Amino acid sequence: MTDIKCKLLIIGAGPGGYVCAIRAGQLGIDTVVIDEGKPGGTCLNVGCIPSKALIHAADEFHKIKHASDGPLGISVDAPSIDLAKTIAWKDGLVQRLNTGVAGLMKKAKARFVSGRARFLDGKTVQVKNDDDTYSIRAEHIVVATGSAPVELPFLPFGGPVLSSTEALNLTDIPKSIAVVGGGYIGLELGTVFAKLGTKVTIVEAEDRILPLYDKALTGPVAKRLDDLDVTVMAGVRAQGYENGKLKTDQGDIAAEKVLVTVGRRPRTIGIGIDELALTLDGPFIKIDKTCQTSMRGIYAIGDVTGEPMLAHRAMAQGEMVAEHIAGLSVEWDKNAIPAVCFTDPEVVTCGALPDEVEGSKTSEFPFQANGRAMTTEREDGFIRVVWRESDHAVLGIQAVGAGISEMSAAFSLAIEMGARLEDIGSTIHAHPTQSEGLQEACLRALGHALHI
Ligand code: FAD
Ligand code: NAD
């Protein structure tokens, strides 16, 4: 048994935990980070990065494969993809970033302990790995244990029934796949397999895909899925898998694999928080504006604290908690957390959605009227601003369009800085870019759009 004492102990080295450790190190706090897996957590190892790598690879392959069908005068002969090689490339990226994250924590002088953590009491955590058992006592403890895929009792993971983790590591392209859940992961990975040549069927319990967002915003994604020959079955519930068929309440779907993406649950089980009797918010750990739990000295950040389960929210919370522990006067005061669904086209939402705030209005600009969109053969989608009639404050921005994720920073910046329609409308936006659509949506709200 090895005894360690520190000021700050962080359980989990995902985006929340590792960013908290780096910031704590910068502020001179003696910090220990524990993880039973590799640095970077879900996001780096089996989430954001691997999925975006495969989205890119599948998109490149699909573009090359269909280049001869387009108007650009390109012709290609029978391109092919070796998925095992693609996966090896993706694994290489993940490894590079694992090393990078470990290096950043080391540079910040945060000590990394590998192993599984369990609370012994509100100040002490036991960590076990194959070689040793540690007892770590800390003044402050941050729970950053993240989340895991929800398993449906009638579709247990294993064999042909995959979670996102297994789907990101397939080395052979399945002939057919049924995706249960048309949310973020189901749509991102469903599109990957469709572009690789798999026959994809998406089964969504609600009446349409990405039910969190309005129909107009998800319309271009639904249209593209249709063009990619993906079958979307909305208002349908999966019931089991037997003899190569997904059973649903509306008939059977033949599928070599089934990918279950019906949400994620917090990783709170088996870490001893039951004994601490922390107050929960549904299945998640309840936190206040400084991410403190119901027990003094224990904080929680990231997916374990609930929606939105996004890496950049976990990072921002991690940074804030380190500063709070260092004695700085900080609290959660963000106006907007951007969310990007990396479908084709991509969907971005930031701040208020239409009808969410009384007295708000909306104005949108379609990419059909945008020169840059025409030059990239992607005129599908639009940018929409939600604004307050009384003072023209921009309260929310949503967009759907190819590559639109890169504009999410402009959306967040505008909302965080309290921009008004006139501020964005009078800012010079480079031509020809998709970003002109944001300026035009604001000008349109003011009644003097230039290009529509
Ligand atoms: P996690 O990243 O889950 O990290 C928690 C860490 O804690 C893990 O490393 C785990 O090993 C460790 N841990 C847990 N329990 C213990 C214990 N008892 N002892 C020791 N260690 C423990 N978000 C985005 O913002 N953008 C995206 O594009 C995106 N894509 C995604 C794609 C997929 C396929 C998935 C699954 C998720 C995606 N997400 C995305 C969500 C994102 O991954 C999470 O929001 C983010 O990882 C949460 O960070 P976290 O630090 O809270 O937890
Ligand atoms: P999700 O909540 O986005 O989507 C789950 C979908 O499954 C919902 O549309 C729901 O109606 C449907 N569903 C639930 N039970 C069902 C059933 N029995 N049959 C059919 N459909 C059913 O969940 P997810 O896609 O698993 O993603 C989990 C979380 O991971 C997300 O909430 C998100 O925060 C995060 N994530 C983010 C990104 C990103 O930022 N680009 C990407 C992937 C994941």
Side-chain angles (χ1 to χ4, degrees), residues 46-47 50-52 54-55 58 163-169 177 179 183-196 198 200 202 225 259-261 342-343:
V46 292
S51 60
K52 267 77 253 177
L54 295 194
I55 287 169
S163 76
S164 54
T165 301
E166 293 83 48
L168 289 167
N169 284 309
I177 193 161
V179 179
Y184 276 82
I185 303 181
L187 292 185
E188 289 187 0
L189 296 186
T191 305
V192 165
F193 287 106
K195 287 185 176 176
L196 291 175
T198 302
V200 177
I202 296 174
L225 287 172
L259 168 60
V260 181
T261 54
F342 292 83
T343 37

PDB file of all heavy atoms in Angstrom, residues 46-47 50-52 54-55 58 163-169 177 179 183-196 198 200 202 225 259-261 342-343:
ATOM      1  N   VAL A  46     -12.320   6.849 -27.516  1.00  0.00           N
ATOM      2  CA  VAL A  46     -13.433   6.139 -28.181  1.00  0.00           C
ATOM      3  C   VAL A  46     -14.597   7.073 -28.515  1.00  0.00           C
ATOM      4  O   VAL A  46     -15.742   6.635 -28.601  1.00  0.00           O
ATOM      5  CB  VAL A  46     -13.947   4.961 -27.292  1.00  0.00           C
ATOM      6  CG1 VAL A  46     -12.917   3.865 -27.189  1.00  0.00           C
ATOM      7  CG2 VAL A  46     -14.355   5.450 -25.897  1.00  0.00           C
ATOM      8  N   GLY A  47     -14.315   8.354 -28.668  1.00  0.00           N
ATOM      9  CA  GLY A  47     -15.401   9.309 -28.889  1.00  0.00           C
ATOM     10  C   GLY A  47     -15.105  10.299 -29.989  1.00  0.00           C
ATOM     11  O   GLY A  47     -14.977   9.941 -31.167  1.00  0.00           O
ATOM     12  N   PRO A  50     -11.730   9.633 -32.557  1.00  0.00           N
ATOM     13  CA  PRO A  50     -11.866   8.513 -33.501  1.00  0.00           C
ATOM     14  C   PRO A  50     -13.065   8.660 -34.437  1.00  0.00           C
ATOM     15  O   PRO A  50     -12.968   8.317 -35.620  1.00  0.00           O
ATOM     16  CB  PRO A  50     -12.021   7.285 -32.602  1.00  0.00           C
ATOM     17  CG  PRO A  50     -11.890   7.729 -31.216  1.00  0.00           C
ATOM     18  CD  PRO A  50     -11.684   9.198 -31.156  1.00  0.00           C
ATOM     19  N   SER A  51     -14.191   9.188 -33.903  1.00  0.00           N
ATOM     20  CA  SER A  51     -15.364   9.302 -34.783  1.00  0.00           C
ATOM     21  C   SER A  51     -15.110  10.329 -35.879  1.00  0.00           C
ATOM     22  O   SER A  51     -15.465  10.123 -37.035  1.00  0.00           O
ATOM     23  CB  SER A  51     -16.634   9.619 -33.997  1.00  0.00           C
ATOM     24  OG  SER A  51     -16.517  10.835 -33.304  1.00  0.00           O
ATOM     25  N   LYS A  52     -14.459  11.442 -35.518  1.00  0.00           N
ATOM     26  CA  LYS A  52     -14.210  12.463 -36.548  1.00  0.00           C
ATOM     27  C   LYS A  52     -13.174  11.968 -37.572  1.00  0.00           C
ATOM     28  O   LYS A  52     -13.243  12.312 -38.764  1.00  0.00           O
ATOM     29  CB  LYS A  52     -13.756  13.780 -35.922  1.00  0.00           C
ATOM     30  CG  LYS A  52     -14.903  14.730 -35.659  1.00  0.00           C
ATOM     31  CD  LYS A  52     -15.754  14.413 -34.454  1.00  0.00           C
ATOM     32  CE  LYS A  52     -17.103  13.868 -34.629  1.00  0.00           C
ATOM     33  NZ  LYS A  52     -17.783  13.541 -33.377  1.00  0.00           N
ATOM     34  N   LEU A  54     -12.917   8.850 -38.600  1.00  0.00           N
ATOM     35  CA  LEU A  54     -13.634   7.951 -39.524  1.00  0.00           C
ATOM     36  C   LEU A  54     -14.622   8.713 -40.406  1.00  0.00           C
ATOM     37  O   LEU A  54     -14.825   8.352 -41.568  1.00  0.00           O
ATOM     38  CB  LEU A  54     -14.350   6.840 -38.752  1.00  0.00           C
ATOM     39  CG  LEU A  54     -13.444   5.851 -38.002  1.00  0.00           C
ATOM     40  CD1 LEU A  54     -14.234   4.629 -37.583  1.00  0.00           C
ATOM     41  CD2 LEU A  54     -12.236   5.417 -38.828  1.00  0.00           C
ATOM     42  N   ILE A  55     -15.216   9.779 -39.844  1.00  0.00           N
ATOM     43  CA  ILE A  55     -16.113  10.613 -40.665  1.00  0.00           C
ATOM     44  C   ILE A  55     -15.320  11.187 -41.835  1.00  0.00           C
ATOM     45  O   ILE A  55     -15.757  11.182 -42.981  1.00  0.00           O
ATOM     46  CB  ILE A  55     -16.740  11.743 -39.807  1.00  0.00           C
ATOM     47  CG1 ILE A  55     -17.796  11.156 -38.865  1.00  0.00           C
ATOM     48  CG2 ILE A  55     -17.343  12.849 -40.678  1.00  0.00           C
ATOM     49  CD1 ILE A  55     -18.303  12.111 -37.785  1.00  0.00           C
ATOM     50  N   ALA A  58     -14.325   8.269 -44.386  1.00  0.00           N
ATOM     51  CA  ALA A  58     -15.474   7.789 -45.165  1.00  0.00           C
ATOM     52  C   ALA A  58     -15.903   8.856 -46.175  1.00  0.00           C
ATOM     53  O   ALA A  58     -16.268   8.537 -47.315  1.00  0.00           O
ATOM     54  CB  ALA A  58     -16.631   7.449 -44.225  1.00  0.00           C
ATOM     55  N   SER A 163     -21.717  -1.285 -29.429  1.00  0.00           N
ATOM     56  CA  SER A 163     -21.820   0.097 -28.938  1.00  0.00           C
ATOM     57  C   SER A 163     -20.924   0.921 -29.866  1.00  0.00           C
ATOM     58  O   SER A 163     -20.238   0.376 -30.739  1.00  0.00           O
ATOM     59  CB  SER A 163     -21.334   0.190 -27.488  1.00  0.00           C
ATOM     60  OG  SER A 163     -19.921   0.139 -27.450  1.00  0.00           O
ATOM     61  N   SER A 164     -20.892   2.231 -29.644  1.00  0.00           N
ATOM     62  CA  SER A 164     -20.046   3.074 -30.504  1.00  0.00           C
ATOM     63  C   SER A 164     -18.581   2.642 -30.424  1.00  0.00           C
ATOM     64  O   SER A 164     -17.852   2.709 -31.412  1.00  0.00           O
ATOM     65  CB  SER A 164     -20.196   4.548 -30.114  1.00  0.00           C
ATOM     66  OG  SER A 164     -19.950   4.736 -28.741  1.00  0.00           O
ATOM     67  N   THR A 165     -18.159   2.158 -29.258  1.00  0.00           N
ATOM     68  CA  THR A 165     -16.748   1.774 -29.082  1.00  0.00           C
ATOM     69  C   THR A 165     -16.348   0.674 -30.067  1.00  0.00           C
ATOM     70  O   THR A 165     -15.318   0.779 -30.744  1.00  0.00           O
ATOM     71  CB  THR A 165     -16.513   1.320 -27.620  1.00  0.00           C
ATOM     72  OG1 THR A 165     -16.867   2.402 -26.777  1.00  0.00           O
ATOM     73  CG2 THR A 165     -15.069   0.921 -27.378  1.00  0.00           C
ATOM     74  N   GLU A 166     -17.176  -0.375 -30.177  1.00  0.00           N
ATOM     75  CA  GLU A 166     -16.835  -1.456 -31.119  1.00  0.00           C
ATOM     76  C   GLU A 166     -16.996  -0.980 -32.564  1.00  0.00           C
ATOM     77  O   GLU A 166     -16.204  -1.345 -33.443  1.00  0.00           O
ATOM     78  CB  GLU A 166     -17.724  -2.689 -30.900  1.00  0.00           C
ATOM     79  CG  GLU A 166     -17.513  -3.403 -29.573  1.00  0.00           C
ATOM     80  CD  GLU A 166     -18.278  -2.754 -28.435  1.00  0.00           C
ATOM     81  OE1 GLU A 166     -19.485  -2.463 -28.604  1.00  0.00           O
ATOM     82  OE2 GLU A 166     -17.655  -2.509 -27.388  1.00  0.00           O
ATOM     83  N   ALA A 167     -18.023  -0.145 -32.797  1.00  0.00           N
ATOM     84  CA  ALA A 167     -18.255   0.319 -34.177  1.00  0.00           C
ATOM     85  C   ALA A 167     -17.069   1.120 -34.694  1.00  0.00           C
ATOM     86  O   ALA A 167     -16.791   1.128 -35.893  1.00  0.00           O
ATOM     87  CB  ALA A 167     -19.529   1.157 -34.228  1.00  0.00           C
ATOM     88  N   LEU A 168     -16.350   1.783 -33.779  1.00  0.00           N
ATOM     89  CA  LEU A 168     -15.193   2.599 -34.196  1.00  0.00           C
ATOM     90  C   LEU A 168     -13.958   1.741 -34.452  1.00  0.00           C
ATOM     91  O   LEU A 168     -12.902   2.270 -34.784  1.00  0.00           O
ATOM     92  CB  LEU A 168     -14.876   3.638 -33.107  1.00  0.00           C
ATOM     93  CG  LEU A 168     -15.891   4.773 -32.963  1.00  0.00           C
ATOM     94  CD1 LEU A 168     -15.657   5.542 -31.673  1.00  0.00           C
ATOM     95  CD2 LEU A 168     -15.804   5.719 -34.159  1.00  0.00           C
ATOM     96  N   ASN A 169     -14.078   0.433 -34.231  1.00  0.00           N
ATOM     97  CA  ASN A 169     -12.912  -0.435 -34.404  1.00  0.00           C
ATOM     98  C   ASN A 169     -13.139  -1.580 -35.367  1.00  0.00           C
ATOM     99  O   ASN A 169     -12.329  -2.509 -35.424  1.00  0.00           O
ATOM    100  CB  ASN A 169     -12.473  -0.974 -33.025  1.00  0.00           C
ATOM    101  CG  ASN A 169     -11.744   0.113 -32.260  1.00  0.00           C
ATOM    102  OD1 ASN A 169     -10.813   0.733 -32.776  1.00  0.00           O
ATOM    103  ND2 ASN A 169     -12.193   0.383 -31.054  1.00  0.00           N
ATOM    104  N   ILE A 177     -26.179  -2.684 -41.646  1.00  0.00           N
ATOM    105  CA  ILE A 177     -26.158  -2.339 -40.223  1.00  0.00           C
ATOM    106  C   ILE A 177     -27.463  -1.635 -39.871  1.00  0.00           C
ATOM    107  O   ILE A 177     -27.950  -0.794 -40.643  1.00  0.00           O
ATOM    108  CB  ILE A 177     -24.908  -1.473 -39.903  1.00  0.00           C
ATOM    109  CG1 ILE A 177     -24.670  -1.361 -38.406  1.00  0.00           C
ATOM    110  CG2 ILE A 177     -24.964  -0.097 -40.475  1.00  0.00           C
ATOM    111  CD1 ILE A 177     -23.234  -0.920 -38.076  1.00  0.00           C
ATOM    112  N   VAL A 179     -29.048   0.806 -37.114  1.00  0.00           N
ATOM    113  CA  VAL A 179     -28.636   1.719 -36.048  1.00  0.00           C
ATOM    114  C   VAL A 179     -29.865   2.016 -35.202  1.00  0.00           C
ATOM    115  O   VAL A 179     -30.875   2.497 -35.723  1.00  0.00           O
ATOM    116  CB  VAL A 179     -28.066   3.029 -36.646  1.00  0.00           C
ATOM    117  CG1 VAL A 179     -27.660   3.986 -35.537  1.00  0.00           C
ATOM    118  CG2 VAL A 179     -26.883   2.742 -37.572  1.00  0.00           C
ATOM    119  N   GLY A 183     -29.787   9.799 -32.864  1.00  0.00           N
ATOM    120  CA  GLY A 183     -29.241  11.003 -32.233  1.00  0.00           C
ATOM    121  C   GLY A 183     -27.852  11.281 -32.766  1.00  0.00           C
ATOM    122  O   GLY A 183     -27.512  10.884 -33.892  1.00  0.00           O
ATOM    123  N   TYR A 184     -27.047  11.962 -31.946  1.00  0.00           N
ATOM    124  CA  TYR A 184     -25.702  12.354 -32.370  1.00  0.00           C
ATOM    125  C   TYR A 184     -24.878  11.181 -32.912  1.00  0.00           C
ATOM    126  O   TYR A 184     -24.408  11.211 -34.047  1.00  0.00           O
ATOM    127  CB  TYR A 184     -24.924  12.903 -31.171  1.00  0.00           C
ATOM    128  CG  TYR A 184     -25.153  14.350 -30.845  1.00  0.00           C
ATOM    129  CD1 TYR A 184     -26.243  14.750 -30.101  1.00  0.00           C
ATOM    130  CD2 TYR A 184     -24.247  15.311 -31.252  1.00  0.00           C
ATOM    131  CE1 TYR A 184     -26.431  16.078 -29.765  1.00  0.00           C
ATOM    132  CE2 TYR A 184     -24.434  16.645 -30.919  1.00  0.00           C
ATOM    133  CZ  TYR A 184     -25.519  17.025 -30.186  1.00  0.00           C
ATOM    134  OH  TYR A 184     -25.702  18.338 -29.863  1.00  0.00           O
ATOM    135  N   ILE A 185     -24.706  10.156 -32.068  1.00  0.00           N
ATOM    136  CA  ILE A 185     -23.764   9.090 -32.448  1.00  0.00           C
ATOM    137  C   ILE A 185     -24.328   8.257 -33.592  1.00  0.00           C
ATOM    138  O   ILE A 185     -23.618   7.946 -34.560  1.00  0.00           O
ATOM    139  CB  ILE A 185     -23.425   8.193 -31.231  1.00  0.00           C
ATOM    140  CG1 ILE A 185     -22.853   9.042 -30.089  1.00  0.00           C
ATOM    141  CG2 ILE A 185     -22.443   7.095 -31.631  1.00  0.00           C
ATOM    142  CD1 ILE A 185     -22.469   8.264 -28.850  1.00  0.00           C
ATOM    143  N   GLY A 186     -25.619   7.913 -33.499  1.00  0.00           N
ATOM    144  CA  GLY A 186     -26.229   7.080 -34.536  1.00  0.00           C
ATOM    145  C   GLY A 186     -26.120   7.714 -35.907  1.00  0.00           C
ATOM    146  O   GLY A 186     -25.796   7.044 -36.898  1.00  0.00           O
ATOM    147  N   LEU A 187     -26.337   9.035 -35.966  1.00  0.00           N
ATOM    148  CA  LEU A 187     -26.290   9.711 -37.273  1.00  0.00           C
ATOM    149  C   LEU A 187     -24.852   9.871 -37.759  1.00  0.00           C
ATOM    150  O   LEU A 187     -24.552   9.670 -38.941  1.00  0.00           O
ATOM    151  CB  LEU A 187     -26.972  11.071 -37.192  1.00  0.00           C
ATOM    152  CG  LEU A 187     -28.490  11.022 -36.964  1.00  0.00           C
ATOM    153  CD1 LEU A 187     -29.069  12.418 -37.028  1.00  0.00           C
ATOM    154  CD2 LEU A 187     -29.186  10.132 -37.983  1.00  0.00           C
ATOM    155  N   GLU A 188     -23.939  10.242 -36.842  1.00  0.00           N
ATOM    156  CA  GLU A 188     -22.540  10.410 -37.271  1.00  0.00           C
ATOM    157  C   GLU A 188     -21.977   9.078 -37.790  1.00  0.00           C
ATOM    158  O   GLU A 188     -21.409   9.015 -38.886  1.00  0.00           O
ATOM    159  CB  GLU A 188     -21.678  10.926 -36.108  1.00  0.00           C
ATOM    160  CG  GLU A 188     -21.963  12.383 -35.753  1.00  0.00           C
ATOM    161  CD  GLU A 188     -21.004  12.983 -34.718  1.00  0.00           C
ATOM    162  OE1 GLU A 188     -20.075  12.295 -34.236  1.00  0.00           O
ATOM    163  OE2 GLU A 188     -21.177  14.159 -34.391  1.00  0.00           O
ATOM    164  N   LEU A 189     -22.168   8.009 -37.008  1.00  0.00           N
ATOM    165  CA  LEU A 189     -21.576   6.733 -37.421  1.00  0.00           C
ATOM    166  C   LEU A 189     -22.393   6.058 -38.517  1.00  0.00           C
ATOM    167  O   LEU A 189     -21.830   5.382 -39.390  1.00  0.00           O
ATOM    168  CB  LEU A 189     -21.405   5.810 -36.213  1.00  0.00           C
ATOM    169  CG  LEU A 189     -20.426   6.332 -35.150  1.00  0.00           C
ATOM    170  CD1 LEU A 189     -20.196   5.294 -34.060  1.00  0.00           C
ATOM    171  CD2 LEU A 189     -19.074   6.726 -35.759  1.00  0.00           C
ATOM    172  N   GLY A 190     -23.695   6.263 -38.505  1.00  0.00           N
ATOM    173  CA  GLY A 190     -24.530   5.722 -39.589  1.00  0.00           C
ATOM    174  C   GLY A 190     -24.071   6.282 -40.925  1.00  0.00           C
ATOM    175  O   GLY A 190     -23.963   5.564 -41.929  1.00  0.00           O
ATOM    176  N   THR A 191     -23.761   7.580 -40.942  1.00  0.00           N
ATOM    177  CA  THR A 191     -23.299   8.219 -42.185  1.00  0.00           C
ATOM    178  C   THR A 191     -21.937   7.656 -42.610  1.00  0.00           C
ATOM    179  O   THR A 191     -21.685   7.437 -43.800  1.00  0.00           O
ATOM    180  CB  THR A 191     -23.214   9.753 -41.985  1.00  0.00           C
ATOM    181  OG1 THR A 191     -24.486  10.197 -41.542  1.00  0.00           O
ATOM    182  CG2 THR A 191     -22.832  10.476 -43.258  1.00  0.00           C
ATOM    183  N   VAL A 192     -21.074   7.400 -41.623  1.00  0.00           N
ATOM    184  CA  VAL A 192     -19.765   6.799 -41.949  1.00  0.00           C
ATOM    185  C   VAL A 192     -19.983   5.496 -42.710  1.00  0.00           C
ATOM    186  O   VAL A 192     -19.429   5.289 -43.806  1.00  0.00           O
ATOM    187  CB  VAL A 192     -18.941   6.520 -40.652  1.00  0.00           C
ATOM    188  CG1 VAL A 192     -17.779   5.572 -40.933  1.00  0.00           C
ATOM    189  CG2 VAL A 192     -18.440   7.820 -40.046  1.00  0.00           C
ATOM    190  N   PHE A 193     -20.808   4.597 -42.140  1.00  0.00           N
ATOM    191  CA  PHE A 193     -20.965   3.288 -42.775  1.00  0.00           C
ATOM    192  C   PHE A 193     -21.673   3.406 -44.131  1.00  0.00           C
ATOM    193  O   PHE A 193     -21.316   2.695 -45.073  1.00  0.00           O
ATOM    194  CB  PHE A 193     -21.659   2.306 -41.823  1.00  0.00           C
ATOM    195  CG  PHE A 193     -20.722   1.879 -40.722  1.00  0.00           C
ATOM    196  CD1 PHE A 193     -20.871   2.358 -39.433  1.00  0.00           C
ATOM    197  CD2 PHE A 193     -19.644   1.053 -40.999  1.00  0.00           C
ATOM    198  CE1 PHE A 193     -19.977   2.008 -38.435  1.00  0.00           C
ATOM    199  CE2 PHE A 193     -18.732   0.696 -40.006  1.00  0.00           C
ATOM    200  CZ  PHE A 193     -18.906   1.169 -38.717  1.00  0.00           C
ATOM    201  N   ALA A 194     -22.638   4.315 -44.220  1.00  0.00           N
ATOM    202  CA  ALA A 194     -23.320   4.494 -45.516  1.00  0.00           C
ATOM    203  C   ALA A 194     -22.300   4.911 -46.577  1.00  0.00           C
ATOM    204  O   ALA A 194     -22.324   4.425 -47.706  1.00  0.00           O
ATOM    205  CB  ALA A 194     -24.420   5.535 -45.379  1.00  0.00           C
ATOM    206  N   LYS A 195     -21.367   5.803 -46.213  1.00  0.00           N
ATOM    207  CA  LYS A 195     -20.382   6.276 -47.194  1.00  0.00           C
ATOM    208  C   LYS A 195     -19.340   5.209 -47.522  1.00  0.00           C
ATOM    209  O   LYS A 195     -18.705   5.262 -48.575  1.00  0.00           O
ATOM    210  CB  LYS A 195     -19.699   7.550 -46.676  1.00  0.00           C
ATOM    211  CG  LYS A 195     -20.638   8.758 -46.731  1.00  0.00           C
ATOM    212  CD  LYS A 195     -19.946  10.035 -46.337  1.00  0.00           C
ATOM    213  CE  LYS A 195     -20.898  11.212 -46.500  1.00  0.00           C
ATOM    214  NZ  LYS A 195     -20.307  12.476 -46.037  1.00  0.00           N
ATOM    215  N   LEU A 196     -19.195   4.242 -46.607  1.00  0.00           N
ATOM    216  CA  LEU A 196     -18.253   3.147 -46.889  1.00  0.00           C
ATOM    217  C   LEU A 196     -18.917   2.069 -47.747  1.00  0.00           C
ATOM    218  O   LEU A 196     -18.257   1.137 -48.199  1.00  0.00           O
ATOM    219  CB  LEU A 196     -17.754   2.529 -45.575  1.00  0.00           C
ATOM    220  CG  LEU A 196     -16.838   3.405 -44.721  1.00  0.00           C
ATOM    221  CD1 LEU A 196     -16.513   2.709 -43.402  1.00  0.00           C
ATOM    222  CD2 LEU A 196     -15.541   3.758 -45.456  1.00  0.00           C
ATOM    223  N   THR A 198     -21.999   0.374 -46.734  1.00  0.00           N
ATOM    224  CA  THR A 198     -22.906  -0.488 -45.961  1.00  0.00           C
ATOM    225  C   THR A 198     -24.350  -0.043 -46.189  1.00  0.00           C
ATOM    226  O   THR A 198     -24.613   1.148 -46.307  1.00  0.00           O
ATOM    227  CB  THR A 198     -22.567  -0.343 -44.447  1.00  0.00           C
ATOM    228  OG1 THR A 198     -21.199  -0.700 -44.244  1.00  0.00           O
ATOM    229  CG2 THR A 198     -23.458  -1.205 -43.579  1.00  0.00           C
ATOM    230  N   VAL A 200     -27.469   0.973 -44.600  1.00  0.00           N
ATOM    231  CA  VAL A 200     -27.753   1.451 -43.240  1.00  0.00           C
ATOM    232  C   VAL A 200     -29.250   1.716 -43.059  1.00  0.00           C
ATOM    233  O   VAL A 200     -29.872   2.368 -43.907  1.00  0.00           O
ATOM    234  CB  VAL A 200     -26.953   2.744 -42.940  1.00  0.00           C
ATOM    235  CG1 VAL A 200     -27.296   3.300 -41.556  1.00  0.00           C
ATOM    236  CG2 VAL A 200     -25.447   2.495 -43.056  1.00  0.00           C
ATOM    237  N   ILE A 202     -31.719   3.321 -40.029  1.00  0.00           N
ATOM    238  CA  ILE A 202     -31.740   3.980 -38.716  1.00  0.00           C
ATOM    239  C   ILE A 202     -33.138   3.865 -38.125  1.00  0.00           C
ATOM    240  O   ILE A 202     -34.130   4.221 -38.779  1.00  0.00           O
ATOM    241  CB  ILE A 202     -31.315   5.461 -38.837  1.00  0.00           C
ATOM    242  CG1 ILE A 202     -29.856   5.537 -39.318  1.00  0.00           C
ATOM    243  CG2 ILE A 202     -31.476   6.197 -37.491  1.00  0.00           C
ATOM    244  CD1 ILE A 202     -29.356   6.935 -39.604  1.00  0.00           C
ATOM    245  N   LEU A 225     -29.276  11.916 -46.018  1.00  0.00           N
ATOM    246  CA  LEU A 225     -29.308  10.485 -45.663  1.00  0.00           C
ATOM    247  C   LEU A 225     -30.076   9.721 -46.738  1.00  0.00           C
ATOM    248  O   LEU A 225     -29.675   8.633 -47.154  1.00  0.00           O
ATOM    249  CB  LEU A 225     -29.973  10.283 -44.295  1.00  0.00           C
ATOM    250  CG  LEU A 225     -29.145  10.721 -43.081  1.00  0.00           C
ATOM    251  CD1 LEU A 225     -29.983  10.655 -41.806  1.00  0.00           C
ATOM    252  CD2 LEU A 225     -27.887   9.864 -42.910  1.00  0.00           C
ATOM    253  N   LEU A 259     -26.049  -1.402 -34.290  1.00  0.00           N
ATOM    254  CA  LEU A 259     -25.325  -0.405 -33.498  1.00  0.00           C
ATOM    255  C   LEU A 259     -26.334   0.293 -32.591  1.00  0.00           C
ATOM    256  O   LEU A 259     -27.293   0.894 -33.078  1.00  0.00           O
ATOM    257  CB  LEU A 259     -24.645   0.602 -34.448  1.00  0.00           C
ATOM    258  CG  LEU A 259     -24.081   1.869 -33.831  1.00  0.00           C
ATOM    259  CD1 LEU A 259     -23.008   1.560 -32.795  1.00  0.00           C
ATOM    260  CD2 LEU A 259     -23.479   2.757 -34.945  1.00  0.00           C
ATOM    261  N   VAL A 260     -26.138   0.167 -31.283  1.00  0.00           N
ATOM    262  CA  VAL A 260     -27.093   0.754 -30.339  1.00  0.00           C
ATOM    263  C   VAL A 260     -26.544   2.079 -29.809  1.00  0.00           C
ATOM    264  O   VAL A 260     -25.499   2.118 -29.142  1.00  0.00           O
ATOM    265  CB  VAL A 260     -27.387  -0.219 -29.169  1.00  0.00           C
ATOM    266  CG1 VAL A 260     -28.403   0.396 -28.201  1.00  0.00           C
ATOM    267  CG2 VAL A 260     -27.904  -1.554 -29.692  1.00  0.00           C
ATOM    268  N   THR A 261     -27.235   3.157 -30.135  1.00  0.00           N
ATOM    269  CA  THR A 261     -26.792   4.503 -29.724  1.00  0.00           C
ATOM    270  C   THR A 261     -28.004   5.255 -29.188  1.00  0.00           C
ATOM    271  O   THR A 261     -28.542   6.135 -29.837  1.00  0.00           O
ATOM    272  CB  THR A 261     -26.178   5.259 -30.922  1.00  0.00           C
ATOM    273  OG1 THR A 261     -27.137   5.252 -31.999  1.00  0.00           O
ATOM    274  CG2 THR A 261     -24.908   4.629 -31.400  1.00  0.00           C
ATOM    275  N   PHE A 342     -21.739  16.289 -36.179  1.00  0.00           N
ATOM    276  CA  PHE A 342     -20.874  16.176 -37.364  1.00  0.00           C
ATOM    277  C   PHE A 342     -21.489  15.233 -38.399  1.00  0.00           C
ATOM    278  O   PHE A 342     -20.870  14.270 -38.844  1.00  0.00           O
ATOM    279  CB  PHE A 342     -19.469  15.723 -36.960  1.00  0.00           C
ATOM    280  CG  PHE A 342     -18.721  16.766 -36.168  1.00  0.00           C
ATOM    281  CD1 PHE A 342     -18.913  16.895 -34.797  1.00  0.00           C
ATOM    282  CD2 PHE A 342     -17.840  17.635 -36.787  1.00  0.00           C
ATOM    283  CE1 PHE A 342     -18.242  17.856 -34.058  1.00  0.00           C
ATOM    284  CE2 PHE A 342     -17.157  18.609 -36.053  1.00  0.00           C
ATOM    285  CZ  PHE A 342     -17.362  18.719 -34.685  1.00  0.00           C
ATOM    286  N   THR A 343     -22.738  15.531 -38.727  1.00  0.00           N
ATOM    287  CA  THR A 343     -23.421  14.775 -39.778  1.00  0.00           C
ATOM    288  C   THR A 343     -23.011  15.377 -41.119  1.00  0.00           C
ATOM    289  O   THR A 343     -22.153  16.246 -41.200  1.00  0.00           O
ATOM    290  CB  THR A 343     -24.946  14.927 -39.582  1.00  0.00           C
ATOM    291  OG1 THR A 343     -25.216  16.254 -39.127  1.00  0.00           O
ATOM    292  CG2 THR A 343     -25.480  13.941 -38.579  1.00  0.00           C
TER     293      THR A 343
END
